[in-house]
Amino acid sequence: MNLQPQDRSDIISRVFKIKLDELLCDLTKKHVLGRVVASEIPAKDDDSELYHLVKTHMIHGPCGLANRYGVPYNAYLLKKFQAHINMEWCNQGTSVKYLFKYINKGYDTITAAAVEIDTDENFIVRNIDEIRQYLDCRYVSPSEACWRIFSFPIHGRSPVVARLYFHVEGNNPVYYTDHELNDEVLGKPSVKE
């Protein structure tokens, strides 16, 4: 039947979720980030498995003498997951799209239409429906759709931080540390005001 991995987005999403959970365990409980991060191709004679994994998963574009297309990687994680794991800081709202881009590498999709333009005598009047343009151009990959169907979390925060308000009178925030005594906290100018 000649199925490709991208033809089974449901399996891709489930396997990715299993690997993501294991990766989070490695990062939070096993403290893998304390290990060495590299961006160079290792010598084939020293570690042939790592050499092939780096060449397969961690090189963007052609690799010349300067090796400027190598992506930073952690050797332990690369050997364990045998997948592209970029070890760069990523803290943006587009992180989810970045993840799904690598899950389902395939052809991009675009919606285009030829529409009639209303013209006036001296200038062109364009009726632009911005909402329709947004809806037409929003692309949800099959893997992202499966991820959402399975109700896997899209984002998370660890450890969870919740702001608790103890001081409501005047609605002014009161800041204190764990080791401060109650009398010290109550004696602060911000509390008295």
Side-chain angles (χ1 to χ4, degrees):
M1 218 178 156
N2 293 342
L3 287 177
Q4 299 294 320
Q6 60 266 21
D7 296 330
R8 291 302 309 264
S9 300
D10 56 333
I11 295 174
I12 289 173
S13 294
R14 289 175 193 249
V15 169
F16 181 77
K17 175 68 169 129
I18 292 168
K19 287 185 173 187
L20 177 64
D21 291 342
E22 185 65 24
L23 176 64
L24 289 175
C25 178
D26 284 344
L27 296 177
T28 58
K29 294 182 177 138
K30 298 178 183 174
H31 306 290
V32 173
L33 285 182
R35 300 181 186 184
V36 177
V37 174
S39 62
E40 59 188 24
I41 300 174
K44 189 175 185 178
D45 298 335
D46 294 342
D47 192 343
S48 63
E49 179 189 8
L50 184 61
Y51 172 80
H52 289 295
L53 288 170
V54 169
K55 285 189 70 173
T56 303
H57 300 291
M58 305 309 291
I59 303 297
H60 280 268
C63 184
L65 294 175
N67 191 24
R68 62 178 188 243
Y69 295 100
V71 177
Y73 64 91
N74 178 295
Y76 171 79
L77 293 175
L78 185 57
K79 284 183 178 182
K80 180 175 183 177
F81 294 104
Q82 298 189 3
H84 176 85
I85 299 179
N86 192 341
M87 295 302 294
E88 294 180 80
W89 182 261
C90 186
N91 188 16
Q92 298 175 351
T94 57
S95 300
V96 173
K97 292 288 183 186
Y98 179 81
L99 291 174
F100 286 109
K101 181 178 105 175
Y102 283 101
I103 293 173
N104 189 17
K105 283 189 176 182
Y107 297 103
D108 291 334
T109 301
I110 187 168
T111 302
V115 294
E116 201 174 300
I117 298 175
D118 297 333
T119 59
D120 199 357
E121 292 179 16
N122 297 329
F123 59 92
I124 298 174
V125 178
R126 293 190 176 145
N127 296 325
I128 299 173
D129 185 354
E130 293 180 11
I131 296 171
R132 174 57 51 202
Q133 285 181 342
Y134 172 79
L135 293 174
D136 286 345
C137 294
R138 184 166 187 270
Y139 174 69
V140 177
S141 70
S143 295
E144 182 181 357
C146 287
W147 188 272
R148 291 175 184 269
I149 289 170
F150 293 143
S151 299
F152 294 149
I154 298 296
H155 56 80
R157 182 183 296 186
S158 178
V160 176
V161 176
R163 183 181 290 183
L164 300 176
Y165 292 101
F166 293 103
H167 177 72
V168 180
E169 185 180 335
N171 292 325
N172 297 324
V174 176
Y175 300 99
Y176 60 93
T177 58
D178 291 340
H179 66 275
E180 286 185 277
L181 299 173
N182 289 340
D183 292 337
E184 293 176 1
V185 173
L186 294 173
K188 289 185 177 183
S190 61
V191 177
K192 290 178 182 176
E193 293 172 359

